[in-house]
Amino acid sequence: MSGDYARRIPPRALPVAMAAVVGLLYATGSLLGWGGRAFIAWAEAGAAGAAAISLLLSSRRPDGAPAEPGAPGGIWRASRRWYGIAAASWFAGAVGSALADGAGRSALSLSVPDLFYLVALVALGTGLVVPVRLPRDAGTWLRYVADTYVCACALFVLGWVALFGTLYHRSGESPSQFVLELLYPLIDIVFVCGALPFVLGAARGHRRLAWMGYGALTAIAVADVVTTLVRLDGGGPADDPSDILRLAGLLLLLLVPWTGPAAEPDLPVDDIPAGVEIDGEECGRMLGPGIAPAAIAAAAALFIAGHSVTGQNGLEPGVSIAAGSAALVLIARLAGLLRENDALRRAVDTGEEHFRTLSESINDAVLICDLDATVRYASAGALRMYHYTSDELLGRPLNELVHPEDVPHLQAVFTEFLDEQADLGGPDDVLRVSCRVRAADGTWLPTESTISRYSGADGTPARLLVTTRDLSEQAALQRQVAHLTFHDGLTGLPNRSYFEERTREVLSRQPSGGKVAVVFVDLDGFTAVNDSEGHAAGDQVLAQAARRLRANVLSDDTVARWGGDEFAVLVQLPPDDGETRATVELAGRLLRVLSVDPYQVGDKHIVLTASVGIAFAGDEEEPGAAGDGSDAGRRIRRTAADLLRNGDLAMARAKEAGGGRVEVYAPHMHADVVRRLELGSDLQTALAEEQFAVEFQPVVDLGTSRVTGVEALLRWWRGSEAVPPEEFIGPAEESGLMVPLGEWVLREACREVARWRRDSWDVGLSVNFTARQIAAPRFTESVAAVLEETGLAPSALTLEVREEVLVEDAGQNVARLSELRDLGVRLAIDDFGTGYASLAYLGQLPVDIIKIDPSFVAGLGSDETLTLLTRTIVRLGSDLGLTVVAEGIERPEQLELLREMGCPRGQGFLVARPMAAGRVESLVRTNLGARNRPGDVALPLPG
């Protein structure tokens, strides 16, 4: 036999084949009379022994398994063990019969082997009882005894009338003797009837094993009846064919260990319930045999009646007594069943009353419908919810109340639900659906319903229980929450989240050739409104601005409050040539409506301007970054995030340019922002690695060419490349690094100038400070600490600030600078004349020096207006007692005009370029001469 063929043989085929071979040999020997009665007895003993060994071995606990009684499989191993004891007892009885030369069994001549047969019956019955959970109430046991008695009596009556009555008359034995002859069949009948409730109540998965044991018991009982009939009829052992039945029973026991438990379908057999778990293992429970006793009793009654009419012999007194007593017991059982039925009916009525009371007391609508969804019962909650009367609802199909748009989906899920329920065979699940239901006034109420099978009193699921909850308040609350989530409470416009989602949606369904644009708007100077008039006034301004924006865009466009004083407009453009122009015109119109008319706040009128930025979606051309090797003119597709970012960048560029204007996004704007961010990150590294240096530019007396001071200038050397100050000063200011960086510049410059002053060079120091530096905590204390640390006299230090630092301030910056001025530090206004400080306000500022902006000096000799303004500033500074310094002197004619105007001091590339500290020291050593006063350094200026 090949290995593949061997592997195709099931593992249980061998014992089954052996059992079939043994059964075949046994049957053949019994029919042909091989070896006489002894052969049959020894064959029976062999089959019983094989069954005993198989059952006892299979009932052993596996190695490593827990030994507790509740261990999985323990109960069924016990059942097999009792089966094995029964087979072993049968083996002992068969061996005894074989040694006794096959003497037949008879109650009149009981022997030791007969005792083993009785033990086998008891053990087999015990094996059927062990896996079942026994009841503890006496009523159940009384019903069990009554059913067993009725069943046994009915079988006895059938057997007597059909078989044993005639034999009794022919035997001539006394009644007591004949009853002893029937002892074995009577005992077998009692066991068969008594074991039936335990077999019917077997747990799922083990019913096959229980029925195999019960089949063995039944086969043995039928064999005993056949043996008794043959013996009473005068036949010998050779005429008895019952050995085949006994062999069949033994073979069933032999096959028990090889079948194993199986998951059986849940078939309705006299309402068999599921098993009960004990210690983690499922057990069966004892059930009444149901209609079996009544059916057997009815069959017996009919048989008796027919035999009485057609038979020759009347009924024996014993038969009448057995039939009558069985009838009385059956009547008593029927009376008990009637009482139980009445109790169950009262319980059902009570349950229905409780259900009705519960359904009437809750606010949810409770409906009971037929399987075709026709209303048969409506609770008071349903009448209150839908405002119908009872007559208007009862008998009405539910689909007439459901919104037409919801009907198809509802019918589909409802049909699927009923199909699943039919497959499951019981109400094991519920259906939850949401739909709109029409009330009596015609309104549609959003509802959520739970549908389940409604079982009647007979346990047949014939109706549907529908529980419905009105979700109108919940839906209204959800709409309100959604509105608050995606709308601004002040202006009523959509908020930033809604605008972003709307932009993504529009871009996702953008038609071919169409374009989308965003317009960002920011109110210039709005912070001053909040600071001067209060936030309530600012809210009124924002509300008015929102109304103006909404009134000047198309209905398809979306206006949203982006945040603070910023607004955004999503514009959907038609695919024509004028799309860009139309958007720019819209932006200009929005700029005018926000800037021309003042805003009414109480009795005040506030005039504001706006900064507007525009960005377009769709394919755009973006040049490759310099040096990255990418192709110029690369086509890219803008996403919603890119579009919104670009619009915001364009608006920021408009604001940086002074506001009150419209800017259209260009790719270089994003590149500038990215570069500023990269510079901000590189600044931190440069500060930690000391990549900065300080250079000094001399300031001279224009009349004597004497160097009166130096201005400290910050330089950044990134490797061998110098980063222009105009590129990194702004990012440093925005990132907050200007505070520690400015303190470092101050300390380094003060240290150098203090050393020069100790070397007999009378020179002053000027250092530029930004608004963020001055507003930093402990600014005054840090400057004083640096002066004390370096030893520089406070009078030698001049702090240079731009005009806006002093003018656009609530007073804190001026107060801090005044404290330093009290220490002796001088104050200079840098780039004076650019329009921030008025001439009248100049006299009120705590300043000592004004520095003329290089744009004025650049026009000297070529622009009469700039020349006149420069002359005016020089004269004004002289009249106010301020020192005037001209910046940006680059040509000799500029120097001569400044000298003619009487400008005392100046600086620029013509005078001296910025230089490192080492070159300044060389200049000092070279120019200290006898023609100058001690400590003076003069530079060779033209003229």
Side-chain angles (χ1 to χ4, degrees), residues 660-683:
R661 57 185 297 159
V662 177
E663 286 282 349
V664 179
Y665 170 79
H668 69 81
M669 295 181 182
H670 182 229
D672 292 344
V673 173
V674 172
R675 178 171 174 78
R676 290 170 72 90
L677 291 176
E678 292 175 349
L679 284 175
S681 176
D682 294 342
L683 280 170

Side-chain angles (χ1 to χ4, degrees), residues 85 117 165 186 271 364 429 513 587 680 783 786 823 879 901:
I85 294 174
Y117 288 130
L186 292 176
D271 300 331
D364 292 348
D429 201 359
V783 174
V786 169
L823 294 176
D879 294 342
M901 294 176 188

Side-chain angles (χ1 to χ4, degrees), residues 161-242:
V161 174
L163 301 173
F164 296 105
T166 304
L167 296 176
Y168 168 69
H169 289 289
R170 289 191 311 183
S171 65
E173 296 180 357
S174 64
S176 58
Q177 290 177 339
F178 197 80
V179 169
L180 288 177
E181 291 285 356
L182 299 180
L183 182 60
Y184 276 109
L186 292 176
I187 294 175
D188 292 335
I189 290 174
V190 172
F191 271 93
V192 169
C193 294
L196 183 59
F198 301 97
V199 177
L200 293 175
R204 296 176 182 175
H206 298 282
R207 293 173 181 168
R208 182 190 304 169
L209 304 182
W211 280 107
M212 290 179 69
Y214 188 74
L217 178 62
T218 305
I220 293 171
V222 174
D224 286 344
V225 171
V226 173
T227 299
T228 303
L229 284 174
V230 172
R231 186 179 66 250
L232 292 176
D233 198 30
D239 301 326
D240 187 2
S242 62

